[in-house]
């Protein structure tokens, strides 16, 4: 799996122009090593998680500006045909690298294959496109994300002295490979407890497209199905967690039933401060954006960096060169770390309603 630190791709060796930039080369079929880097990014939507617009866009811009490269960041707003149109426009406009967060593997693969056929370098950003052709995959260790959620829920259930708690699952989108990995992670912690009859497996549903509104309806149905007895909710991200909390509130169960999350969103952190959410998982998106930006720039110069790690694409059977960053569990007492990292500001989180809780949590 481990190779040298930096290898020059064949295309870079063949190119006569070396690594020098040569102005506007839109539509040219020159090898990528002679092109001025221009990076296109397609974000998936702005509703399944606040992160895409509030963190990813911001930190990608920060990384591209620091590297002084041209870029174009667009959001497909959960529309698969818009996703393809944006990709086509970016390719026509002469991007040297395309970074995508796919809406599903099928449409993601079509976009990656087309880019590849036009000599555009490709990166799977955050979500692996199964059966795809991206040259790199940059994300977090997503199974560990799920493991932290499972451990977090277990910790909060212990703190509540829950006896044989019924645990409901709100999984992420069935078309997102990350959702599969998150579930593998939390199952690794919770399944042994179900098997040992320490916990009781309650209702489980996947939320199509991570739709937060649908998640509330789904959770309400789960609560009805369980005759009101759900003692813990494994929600795959903060948006789904907030949907469950809204229904728990309606039933005066908020604060009694621990709920997990992910993304350290302002809303998620506030729900933790209020005692309605057990934990979230912080992923330092600044590092993810920087790693992806570095790779995209290297590819544009015809260089091929060795990331020292690969991930097996279970569908395509490919070992995809990858960067996998480390996620961190966040509880009330370390929310301050997320703020100190510049991911969210104290002003955003500690509004009047949360001021007292912020002080108690040592956020100064
Ligand atoms: C990301 C999560 C995000 C979810 C919904 C996943 O692929 O890894 O951070 O909450 O998509 O957008």
């Amino acid at each position: 799996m481990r190779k040298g630190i930096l290898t020059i791709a064949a295309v870079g060796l063949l190119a006569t122009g070396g690594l020098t930039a040569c102005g506007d080369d839109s539509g040219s079929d020159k090898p990528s090593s002679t092109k001025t880097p221009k990076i296109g990014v397609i974000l998936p939507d702005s509703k399944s998680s606040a992160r895409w617009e509030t963190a990813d866009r911001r930190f990608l811009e920060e990384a591209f500006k620091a590297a002084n490269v041209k870029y174009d960041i667009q959001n497909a707003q959960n529309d698969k045909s818009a996703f393809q149109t944006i990709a086509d426009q970016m390719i026509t406009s002469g991007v040297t690298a395309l970074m995508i967060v796919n809406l599903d593997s099928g449409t993601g693969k079509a976009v990656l294959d087309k880019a590849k056929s036009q000599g555009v370098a490709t990166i799977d950003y955050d979500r692996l496109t199964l059966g795809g052709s991206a040259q790199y995959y940059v994300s977090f260790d997503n199974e560990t994300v799920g493991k932290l959620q499972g451990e977090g829920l277990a910790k909060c259930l212990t703190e509540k002295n829950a006896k044989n708690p019924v645990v409901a699952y709100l999984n992420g989108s069935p078309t997102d490979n990350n959702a599969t990995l998150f579930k593998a992670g939390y199952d690794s912690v919770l399944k042994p407890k179900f098997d040992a009859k320490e916990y009781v497996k309650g209702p489980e549903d996947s939320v199509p497209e991570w739709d937060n509104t649908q998640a509330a309806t789904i959770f309400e149905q789960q609560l009805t199905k369980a005759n009101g007895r759900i003692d813990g909710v494994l929600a795959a991200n903060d948006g789904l967690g907030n949907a469950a909390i809204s229904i728990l509130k309606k039933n005066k169960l908020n604060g009694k039933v621990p709920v997990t999350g992910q993304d350290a969103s302002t809303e998620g952190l506030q729900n933790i401060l209020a005692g309605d959410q057990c934990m979230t998982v912080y992923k330092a998106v600044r590092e993810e954006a920087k790693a992806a930006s570095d790779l995209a720039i290297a590819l544009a110069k015809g260089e091929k960096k060795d990331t020292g790690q690969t991930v097996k694409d279970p569908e395509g059977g490919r070992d995809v060169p990858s960067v996998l960053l480390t996620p961190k569990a966040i509880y009330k007492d370390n929310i301050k770390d997320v703020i100190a990292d510049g991911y969210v500001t104290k002003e955003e989180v500690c509004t009047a309603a949360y001021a007292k809780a912020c002080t108690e949590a040592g956020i100064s």
Side-chain angles (χ1 to χ4, degrees), residues 208-255:
E209 299 167 352
W210 295 91
D211 184 320
N212 295 190
T213 313
Q214 271 195 65
T217 311
I218 292 171
F219 183 71
E220 193 152 35
Q221 286 161 357
Q222 289 188 338
L223 199 58
T224 308
K225 192 171 155 196
N227 294 320
R229 199 187 152 199
I230 287 178
D231 304 301
V233 185
L234 193 306
N237 79 356
D238 285 350
L240 305 187
N242 188 64
I245 290 166
S246 72
I247 301 303
L248 290 170
K249 279 184 178 159
K250 254 173 78 176
N251 291 277
K252 302 205 166 35
L253 287 169
N254 58 307

Side-chain angles (χ1 to χ4, degrees), residues 134 148 173 235 285 289 318 356:
L148 296 176
S173 171
V285 172
R318 232 171 27 111
K356 189 165 165 274

Side-chain angles (χ1 to χ4, degrees), residues 44-45 47-52 56 101-102 125-127 139-140 142 145 172-173 176-179 182 209-210 212 236-239 262-263 281 283 285 288 343:
D45 65 74
K47 291 195 182 140
S48 66
S49 171
R51 64 167 285 185
W52 306 116
D56 295 86
V101 187
N102 73 54
Y125 181 72
D126 202 74
R127 298 177 181 165
S139 192
F140 287 81
N142 291 308
V145 170
S173 171
D176 180 351
N177 181 56
N178 284 346
F182 301 147
E209 299 167 352
W210 295 91
N212 295 190
N237 79 356
D238 285 350
Q262 167 179 194
D263 289 342
V281 178
K283 301 191 293 190
V285 172
E288 187 180 21
Y343 188 76

Side-chain angles (χ1 to χ4, degrees), residues 343-357:
Y343 188 76
V344 286
T345 63
K346 183 189 163 193
E347 288 65 35
E348 282 159 347
V349 178
C350 300
T351 50
Y354 302 93
K356 189 165 165 274

Side-chain angles (χ1 to χ4, degrees), residues 248-323:
L248 290 170
K249 279 184 178 159
K250 254 173 78 176
N251 291 277
K252 302 205 166 35
L253 287 169
N254 58 307
K256 296 183 185 138
V257 178
V259 177
T260 62
Q262 167 179 194
D263 289 342
S265 64
T266 299
E267 184 179 72
L269 296 172
Q270 289 177 333
N271 282 338
I272 295 176
L273 287 164
D276 292 340
Q277 186 170 327
C278 153
M279 58 88 69
T280 185
V281 178
Y282 172 53
K283 301 191 293 190
V285 172
R286 175 182 272 131
E287 288 176 38
E288 187 180 21
K290 173 79 168 65
S293 161
D294 285 351
L295 289 173
I297 294 164
L299 285 171
K301 292 177 177 167
E303 298 166 6
K304 200 167 183 296
K305 283 197 175 179
D306 190 334
T307 58
Q309 197 177 9
T310 57
V311 160
K312 184 88 167 176
D313 169 355
E315 218 164 283
R318 232 171 27 111
D319 289 318
V320 188
S322 302
V323 175

